[in-house]
Amino acid sequence: MITQALTRQTVRDIPLSHRTALVRVDFNVPLQGRMVVDDTRIMAAVPTIRYLSESGARVVLLSHLGRPGGQRVARLSLRPCVPVLAQALGRPVSFCPDVIGPRPRRAITEMFWGDILLLENTRFYPEEERNDPLFSRALSLQGDVFVNDAFGAAHRAHASTVGIAQHLPAVAGFLIAREITALGRLLEPERPFVAIIGGAKVSDKLAVLHNLLRLVDRLLIGGGMANTFLAAQGFAMGNSLVERDQLPAASAILSEAKDRGIEVLLPTDLEVAANFLETAEHRTVPVDAIPSDWMALDIGPETVHRFAEAIAGARTVFWNGPLGVAEWPNFAHGTAGVAQAVADCPGTTVVGGGDSIAAVKRLGMTQRIGHLSTGGGASLEFLEGRELPGIACLNPRVA
């Protein structure tokens, strides 16, 4: 998988001057009204866009945003991304409210070499997620080359990530190349290798947990998914989120880790609340003292300390997923503590997943992390050892 990905052609391998480049970016950004509230994914695409523009190509950008279900949903328009991208590039960016048809064809024809145009949300079209061949063909007719720089969507076999590549020369952008290089280091890590996995559900991350057991020296588990592991060990979790149907799977992971000699750290104390509200009454308790009608919403300070000690001794760290309800200040202390520990670690550090990256940004620590991965699901599937279709479809580099 790694070797195949690294031997794909990139934008440096093909002529670009006086060609129209269809560029799949990942502008699936959080919005508040008509404002972008986190520009991480937009900024990650800037180096590729700038390189294409300065190389004399017309740059036509494609992206999805949210899950409109094949319908035009005004609040999921990509238009708010235009001023953010224009400011980052220091040059104008045009917008077209369609993806195929006469309006984008006319807009592209009127572009000068080096101009940049963002088309509307590809998922406004039901054909996008079906990877419809006619839709893919219609997209491809609007350009000369295809550049995939949307690592966050590389695990999706959609028309704008895979279908276009059947009709045009297809290469990777700088972001995808950087992601593959950084994540590839996790598959052959410097040791000790510590992985921190959070988030709500065990079921979402079973495959990556099993694969990580073949790679890591220590596995730290927090967030809602830790409740299921604690329940599997016999702890009474009160009203906490517990995936009862995943108890055997959690037990199997713990058993496999023991057989492999991998240390698994679970919470020893938790921040619990009377109900699932931002302002709920809350307190810190040991894991064996959760009130029967309360729920765990964060890891406790003792757990943060234990996790931080494990991270401090690592040479490689991978973190994906919050350790609590990180968007609520009362239950963000665990996530913030882990973010601080990862930033302080002198080894190779990779952070993936929107909530984890948001925590790093809130603390002003982005420059202290080795790599912030823009692909939550794609990063996990890569670490599971899966072939990502949005990368497998790109042209192989000629030796």
Side-chain angles (χ1 to χ4, degrees):
M1 165 68 178
I2 298 298
T3 302
Q4 181 189 52
L6 290 175
T7 58
R8 299 290 151 173
Q9 289 186 338
T10 74
V11 289
R12 295 191 187 278
D13 296 314
I14 59 171
L16 295 166
S17 180
H18 291 76
R19 305 183 85 183
T20 299
L22 297 178
V23 189
R24 182 50 158 97
V25 291
D26 182 10
F27 287 178
N28 186 28
V29 296
L31 300 176
Q32 194 169 71
R34 305 295 294 169
M35 298 289 292
V36 174
V37 296
D38 185 345
D39 64 0
T40 301
R41 290 183 171 185
I42 296 175
M43 299 305 293
V46 165
T48 295
I49 296 169
R50 179 176 284 122
Y51 178 82
L52 293 167
S53 175
E54 292 178 352
S55 296
R58 292 169 172 157
V59 185
V60 180
L61 306 175
L62 300 162
S63 181
H64 76 282
L65 174 58
R67 298 180 178 180
Q71 303 294 319
R72 285 187 177 268
V73 180
R75 62 180 175 80
L76 294 178
S77 172
L78 284 167
R79 191 183 291 272
C81 297
V82 171
V84 179
L85 179 60
Q87 182 175 6
L89 291 167
R91 59 166 302 151
V93 176
S94 301
F95 181 75
C96 180
D98 294 329
V99 172
I100 58 172
R103 284 199 287 192
R105 283 200 300 270
R106 182 170 59 252
I108 293 168
T109 300
E110 293 173 353
M111 293 172 72
F112 293 102
W113 304 113
D115 282 357
I116 301 159
L117 171 68
L118 174 63
L119 303 184
E120 187 52 283
N121 191 338
T122 58
R123 289 190 183 174
F124 282 1
Y125 299 75
E127 299 90 346
E128 158 72 345
E129 293 187 77
R130 297 201 303 261
N131 192 14
D132 181 85
L134 293 178
F135 184 65
S136 300
R137 178 63 174 163
L139 288 172
S140 72
L141 290 173
Q142 299 176 149
D144 302 309
V145 297
F146 173 56
V147 178
N148 192 0
D149 210 29
F151 184 73
H155 59 317
R156 306 297 188 195
H158 294 168
S160 67
T161 59
V162 170
I164 300 179
Q166 311 307 310
H167 305 284
L168 294 175
V171 300
F174 296 135
L175 173 60
I176 277 188
R178 190 166 67 249
E179 291 273 12
I180 295 303
T181 299
L183 293 172
R185 294 194 189 104
L186 301 181
L187 300 184
E188 297 181 0
E190 290 188 67
R191 298 194 177 279
F193 178 13
V194 171
I196 312 120
I197 305 296
K201 295 183 177 181
V202 176
S203 53
D204 292 340
K205 296 177 179 177
L206 269 180
V208 74
L209 285 169
H210 279 295
N211 204 52
L212 284 171
L213 290 180
R214 297 195 288 270
L215 299 170
V216 303
D217 301 291
R218 279 180 168 173
L219 179 62
L220 285 47
I221 299 176
M225 64 188 301
N227 300 335
T228 301
F229 281 90
L230 291 168
Q233 291 187 324
F235 289 101
M237 299 305 297
N239 282 341
S240 305
L241 170 67
V242 173
E243 292 181 277
R244 297 289 171 187
D245 62 329
Q246 296 297 323
L247 293 177
S251 295
I253 288 171
L254 294 173
S255 178
E256 181 182 350
K258 183 177 180 180
D259 291 343
R260 291 180 177 272
I262 305 302
E263 183 180 12
V264 176
L265 273 63
L266 292 169
T268 52
D269 63 338
L270 296 162
E271 193 70 18
V272 298
N275 44 53
F276 192 74
L277 290 173
E278 183 175 0
T279 57
E281 180 186 356
H282 58 95
R283 67 178 77 134
T284 304
V285 300
V287 292
D288 59 357
I290 301 172
S292 61
D293 55 348
W294 287 47
M295 62 185 66
L297 297 184
D298 196 8
I299 58 174
E302 179 182 279
T303 301
V304 172
H305 179 72
R306 291 173 59 245
F307 280 17
E309 283 189 329
I311 293 164
R315 293 293 300 161
T316 304
V317 175
F318 172 65
W319 174 29
N320 180 281
L323 285 305
V325 187
E327 62 270 27
W328 293 347
N330 285 338
F331 308 106
H333 300 295
T335 300
V338 165
Q340 181 71 59
V342 174
D344 289 342
C345 179
T348 298
T349 53
V350 177
V351 176
D355 291 325
S356 305
I357 291 175
V360 170
K361 292 188 73 172
R362 277 195 300 272
L363 295 166
M365 296 177 180
T366 54
Q367 299 304 313
R368 297 176 60 196
I369 304 297
H371 180 69
L372 297 175
S373 178
T374 59
S379 300
L380 294 178
E381 290 197 15
F382 184 92
L383 293 176
E384 289 170 21
R386 296 196 202 180
E387 183 175 70
L388 303 184
I391 295 172
C393 69
L394 303 178
N395 292 358
R397 180 171 290 148
V398 178

